[in-house]
Amino acid sequence: MYGRGLRTLSIATVAVMAIALGLVFFYAPLEAEQGFLQKIFYVHVPLAIVSLCGFVAGGLMAIQHLRTRDPRWDMRSYVTIHMSLIFAVATLITGSIWAKGSWGHWWVWSEPTLVSFLIVFLLYATYQPLRFAIEDPELQSRYASVFAIVAGAFVPLNFLAVRLSTEYLHPRVLGSSSNLPAKMQLTFLVSLLGIALLYLTLCKYELTAKHTRAQLRALRRTLVGEGDPSYRRSRSAVPSL
Amino acid sequence: MIELDGLVRRYGEREALSDVSLSVASGQTLVVFGPNGAGKTTLLRVLSTLLRAHAGSVSVLGKSLPEEAWAIRGRVGLLGHDPLLYRELTARENLRFHARLHDLSAERVEERLAAVALTDRAEEPLKTLSRGMVARVAVARATLHDPELLLLDEPWANLDPAARELIEPLIGASATRTRVISSHDPSGGLSEADLVLGLRAGRPALLRDAERVDPSEIAELYR
Amino acid sequence: MRRTVAALLRKELLVELRTLESVPGMSLFAVTTFVVFHFALNQNSVSGDEAAGILWVTLLFAAMLGINRLFVADQDQGGFDAFLLAPVDRSAMLLAKALALLAYLLVLELVAVPAFALLLLGPSLGQALPDLLVVLLLADFGVAVIGTLVAALAVRTRARDLLGALLALPLLVPIVIGAARASSPLLSAGHAGSAGGRWLLLLGLYDLVFGLIAYAVFDFLLED
């Protein structure tokens, strides 16, 4: 049930990413100032956008969880946030590489997006430890949802605050994509699509895997009964379905 | 008064309460027996509105839980293992705090302090009182608002016989009071009961009118 | 509702007065930290951005001490159960706790700000004081709301102090940004200007948004 469409999605993802790569390397023109390094922008910015949308989506799913108390929403929220965190790390790494290439330092405080990401990453890095630290599964799910909502609301406000504080230091390098020439715009959009699809596919894989495992445990419980030691789950940060 | 039908309460993937159905009339006393971990405390907490059922229907004082939980708060009293009192505050301060939460007068507090014979120790912080005295204050707290439904989790555990006699009018059987008591004492518990529920691993192993239950059947639950 | 908040707040302050667990510790921590800063920076006086930074970092970490303690007494002793069983509006607890934390922060600042002016601050504070009070108040409100939320989240976990700090600090960054940027001109020689309006706006916006969110989600933290 969860696995439906997984193959189509995977194929689509691979296809779009291949096209994107082709565009990045062969179609998009070299940027005057930064040369080849600028191409990392086609990876870094989509990663950032997808990751941020993921965090906010995780918060929205958490709202649904609190409203309906359906554990599946909690599972979706968990996977979304989990995946966004991984993409956020990738954002930070690619951003750092770009910073090193452009300014010679592995980290710059003058790039508000990067700085905001660091703060958001530090916040969401506590999500899993928070979950793991609460043993009662229902309490864990509920508290995690509250966290996801608070953190999701925090993301835009944080960006605003950091942008305000770094405004007068450096002209913003990332700029708005509407200033880009057409070829670059196209490449960027295809890249964005590719990374978004990658995100969705990975999330779907994880959801399917977890759901299957939960079904397996339920089956085992029915067959073997309450006395089965293997079904006595040890503490886990992963929501139970 | 209490109607349970197929009540299920899970803890993760385990069922803490499984398919519990029973009916308690107003003024009756239900005593719940079972080994530790059988679900006695969970049942009491579901009835108190602190926990919600995952499946099945729960009706307390004529209201369906959890939707109408707000309607019965203030009419239910819970006395658990935890006295739910602040050790740094005095008995009087603790009870006054609860009185304010339930919109009750200071006179009621004095009345209850007298009823549990602690008026002379009411100005000392609870941490200086013995465990038995704290238990008496806890009884005062749980019954301060004259609840129609009393939920008692092993209430006589920390009390000596004199104290038991003292609190009898507050938590004893009465026509205006329905009680659900969890107990480990087969003979003592049985004498209080109109209805008996035996739980084992969350499942009802025994559900019968008290007069038709033999103490040995209760001992069976612990086997 | 008001009656419930009053009852809760009264209990809160009574317990704090009896135990003196939070406020003296917070205040002492702040003063000690100023001394540490003197040695760490090897400077006799600071002003402007530096001063704002030291002041706000110290206030923040001192606040963490109070935040970590906020729900401990309830969790370990009084229990949330009694409150949950009472026929009252549950948001009253959020309000009462946030107000209590706000009170602790104000007392903290009553000690810390003069201490800071005495020990480390170069320029005199006199003229800038009213503006600084506004900044303090706006920032305190935000810290109180976020602090209460985080304290409630962390209290039922196993590593409550650690998680409390890890959760709170990122969430408080925008407040630090607003408060420090706003205080910096106030702590500069010659009173270089008033607190920038945009920073006060940022603080106000943050307070409002998180106040509303806290109100919306708090109930879910109290249930069992």
Side-chain angles (χ1 to χ4, degrees), chain B residues 83-103:
Chain B
L84 301 179
L85 300 164
Y86 294 91
R87 282 196 297 273
E88 302 291 336
L89 301 183
T90 68
R92 182 167 284 131
E93 284 164 345
N94 267 293
L95 291 178
R96 284 248 178 102
F97 171 59
H98 283 98
R100 286 195 197 98
L101 286 182
H102 287 268
D103 205 11

Side-chain angles (χ1 to χ4, degrees), chain B residues 134-157:
Chain B
V134 174
R136 274 144 63 185
V137 182
V139 171
R141 175 201 56 77
T143 57
L144 195 65
H145 51 298
D146 281 329
E148 294 161 55
L149 173 61
L150 257 186
L151 304 166
L152 309 168
D153 205 342
E154 292 176 60
W156 301 289

Side-chain angles (χ1 to χ4, degrees), chain A residues 29-114:
Chain A
L30 273 180
E31 205 245 3
E33 253 177 58
Q34 299 176 50
F36 190 74
L37 178 68
Q38 183 270 342
K39 297 207 184 244
I40 206 168
F41 153 91
Y42 297 115
V43 176
H44 172 73
V45 181
L47 280 172
I49 295 175
V50 169
S51 167
L52 287 175
C53 291
F55 283 133
V56 175
L60 292 171
M61 292 175 191
I63 294 178
Q64 272 306 93
H65 171 243
L66 289 181
R67 283 179 66 213
T68 64
R69 309 213 175 231
D70 185 349
R72 286 177 301 175
W73 279 112
D74 182 41
M75 181 61 91
R76 285 180 200 134
S77 177
Y78 172 81
V79 170
T80 310
I81 290 177
H82 188 214
M83 200 56 64
S84 295
L85 193 63
I86 296 173
F87 275 53
V89 175
T91 307
L92 285 172
I93 294 176
T94 51
S96 185
I97 296 174
W98 187 359
K100 177 69 176 168
S102 303
W103 293 296
H105 300 288
W106 288 108
W107 180 258
V108 284
W109 286 104
S110 53
E111 188 45 67
T113 314
L114 209 55

Side-chain angles (χ1 to χ4, degrees), chain B residues 107-195:
Chain B
E107 285 81 48
R108 177 79 70 96
V109 170
E110 297 310 314
E111 199 183 270
R112 283 304 144 88
L113 281 170
V116 294
L118 280 173
T119 314
D120 54 337
R121 304 292 300 268
E123 281 300 306
E124 293 172 45
L126 282 185
K127 62 183 180 186
T128 63
L129 300 182
S130 72
R131 194 172 347 155
M133 290 183 203
V134 174
R136 274 144 63 185
V137 182
V139 171
R141 175 201 56 77
T143 57
L144 195 65
H145 51 298
D146 281 329
E148 294 161 55
L149 173 61
L150 257 186
L151 304 166
L152 309 168
D153 205 342
E154 292 176 60
W156 301 289
N158 288 320
L159 299 169
D160 60 41
R164 274 191 72 151
E165 243 184 80
L166 200 58
I167 64 169
E168 181 59 24
L170 291 174
I171 68 170
S174 147
T176 55
R177 202 184 284 149
T178 313
R179 307 181 300 165
V180 179
I181 309 177
S182 90
S183 174
H184 269 315
D185 176 14
S187 47
L190 208 49
S191 58
E192 291 280 331
D194 296 312
L195 188 64

